[in-house]
């Protein structure tokens, strides 16, 4: 019952995400970490050609708790060559945008 309630509470925020990308092996994703704490995913178009590719279209802000958590989830999937799923408000990457959700759901 509690799990169902928690899932229901999470659905409204996920419903705002327009585009979902399932990356079967996170190790194929290239990324750049900048001195100001942003992590840019650079070649999502190689996973799905309908997504924007290089260079600063999709990012995580590691100066925030949420961004650090997203990056940790991404790195865990990357090092273990596991699947990762990302949500963005638009797969065109315009304007440059923070990832909404990162995980495996």
């Amino acid at each position: 019952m509690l799990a169902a309630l928690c899932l229901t509470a999470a659905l409204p925020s996920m419903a705002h995400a327009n585009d979902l990308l399932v990356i079967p092996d996170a190790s194929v994703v290239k990324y750049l970490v900048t001195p100001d704490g942003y992590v840019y995913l650079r070649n999502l178009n190689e996973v799905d050609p309908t997504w924007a590719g290089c260079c600063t279209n999709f990012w995580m802000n590691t100066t925030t708790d949420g961004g650090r958590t997203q990056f940790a989830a991404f790195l865990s999937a990357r090092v273990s060559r596991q699947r990762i799923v990302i949500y963005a408000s638009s797969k065109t990457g315009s304007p440059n945008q923070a990832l909404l959700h990162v995980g495996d759901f």
Side-chain angles (χ1 to χ4, degrees):
M1 176 71 173
L2 181 59
L5 184 60
C6 290
L7 180 59
T8 303
L11 288 177
S13 67
M14 291 180 69
H16 290 104
N18 293 333
D19 291 308
L20 159 90
L21 178 60
V22 176
I23 303 166
D25 176 355
S27 71
V28 303
V29 177
K30 296 176 181 143
Y31 66 96
L32 170 71
V33 180
T34 64
D36 58 352
Y38 286 84
V39 176
Y40 294 96
L41 302 184
R42 301 179 57 90
N43 64 326
L44 298 181
N45 62 314
E46 293 177 13
V47 176
D48 179 340
T50 64
W51 279 67
C54 193
C55 286
T56 58
N57 295 307
F58 306 101
W59 48 269
M60 296 171 261
N61 181 352
T62 63
T63 66
T64 67
D65 289 339
R68 283 188 293 274
T69 303
Q70 288 178 337
F71 191 41
F74 169 73
L75 288 177
S76 293
R78 190 172 202 285
V79 75
S80 60
R81 303 180 66 98
Q82 296 297 310
R83 168 185 132 122
I84 193 88
V85 181
I86 62 170
Y87 271 98
S89 59
S90 172
K91 63 184 172 182
T92 66
S94 180
N96 297 348
Q97 56 194 276
L99 295 176
L100 301 173
H101 303 289
V102 176
D104 187 9
F105 36 90

